[in-house]
Amino acid sequence: MINIVLFGPPGAGKGTQAEKLAEKYNLFHISTGDVFRYNMKNETELGKLAKSYIDKGELVPDDVTIKMLVDTIEKHPESDGYIFDGFPRTIDQAKALDKILLERGTSINMMLALDVEEEELKQRLKKRALDSGRADDADPEIIQNRINVYLEETYPLKEFYKEQGKFVKIDGHGSIDDITERLYDSIDSILA
Ligand code: AMP
């Protein structure tokens, strides 16, 4: 079993790359953002709650997010591992994830961190807003807030995984295929 945290700021390309990795290594792709958006579209209680945070570019509270993650994992116990995209985003989420995996006899193998400079992120998000229909991609103020939240609350996770020797930085510039190849190389090196 191999479990990967795909890490990086909003617009780094986590969703696109996670899909490719999930397919190649038969991993179940869990995007907490996608699960929230699905619930928002279907106007569930969870969706309504999440919307009040997502529309402002804030994080959904940890207890809600962690519970949703456990529910998602429990629905998909049969994969060869998981690729976590957009989770964890806080130290408490990372600690909860370790516990959840430990209870299932497994653990995180590596955090692959996509490194992309801020100006490039803003350009990518602007472009994505044209076809994603995501309100949180369309407004420069919300984008800036998401980047600030990332720097304050999520970026410190780097140290959490570094201390465990699991942090791997990946150059997130260049073509989608080039970045995918870099990710494959890193994963293959731990599988070898
Ligand atoms: P994403 O699709 O990963 O960019 O997530 C979109 C939005 O969903 C974020 O800006 C947060 O408001 C919310 N969200 C997604 N994942 C998490 C998480 N792990 N913890 C808290 N909020 C999250």
Side-chain angles (χ1 to χ4, degrees):
M1 195 156 188
I2 170 163
N3 301 302
I4 297 171
V5 171
L6 192 58
F7 185 73
K14 297 188 293 294
T16 307
Q17 296 298 340
E19 276 175 28
K20 290 174 184 278
L21 301 184
E23 194 180 29
K24 181 165 162 86
Y25 298 98
N26 191 29
L27 305 175
F28 184 71
H29 172 200
I30 300 183
S31 157
T32 43
D34 282 351
V35 180
F36 285 136
R37 280 185 288 279
Y38 175 83
N39 279 275
M40 280 160 61
K41 203 169 141 219
N42 290 290
E43 296 182 350
T44 65
E45 282 310 307
L46 174 64
K48 284 180 211 160
L49 178 84
K51 186 172 163 45
S52 62
Y53 294 93
I54 292 176
D55 282 357
K56 289 186 276 192
E58 304 284 343
L59 294 185
V60 178
D62 281 346
D63 55 344
V64 177
T65 305
I66 291 165
K67 184 178 178 306
M68 181 197 82
L69 185 93
V70 172
D71 290 347
T72 309
I73 287 181
E74 279 173 357
K75 280 188 208 141
H76 300 277
E78 70 294 331
S79 65
D80 289 345
Y82 298 96
I83 178 142
F84 297 97
D85 157 14
F87 187 97
R89 263 176 155 99
T90 64
I91 299 281
D92 281 349
Q93 289 183 13
K95 288 181 180 163
L97 180 61
D98 279 354
K99 195 164 159 260
I100 292 160
L101 294 178
L102 187 67
E103 282 164 6
R104 288 161 180 77
T106 184
S107 61
I108 291 294
N109 298 80
M110 66 201 310
M111 170 196 254
L112 293 170
L114 292 170
D115 184 47
V116 184
E117 58 151 276
E118 195 166 319
E119 262 323 296
E120 168 81 14
L121 293 174
K122 288 182 184 163
Q123 292 308 322
R124 286 189 194 176
L125 287 170
K126 236 187 192 171
K127 229 169 123 195
R128 187 170 81 183
L130 297 176
D131 26 58
S132 74
R134 282 178 56 171
D136 62 343
D137 281 346
D139 181 329
E141 258 181 53
I142 299 175
I143 290 178
Q144 190 60 54
N145 198 31
R146 287 162 65 203
I147 293 175
N148 294 347
V149 168
Y150 169 79
L151 293 173
E152 279 163 33
E153 300 193 48
T154 306
Y155 189 73
L157 281 176
K158 192 176 149 175
E159 290 307 318
F160 181 88
Y161 288 99
K162 240 184 196 168
E163 280 166 16
Q164 299 181 30
K166 294 177 178 173
F167 174 81
V168 181
K169 183 165 147 179
I170 303 285
D171 179 3
H173 301 94
S175 74
I176 290 177
D177 287 347
D178 286 347
I179 300 165
T180 308
E181 282 306 321
R182 289 175 205 140
L183 292 164
Y184 287 167
D185 286 349
S186 284
I187 298 173
D188 290 343
S189 71
I190 67 153
L191 291 177

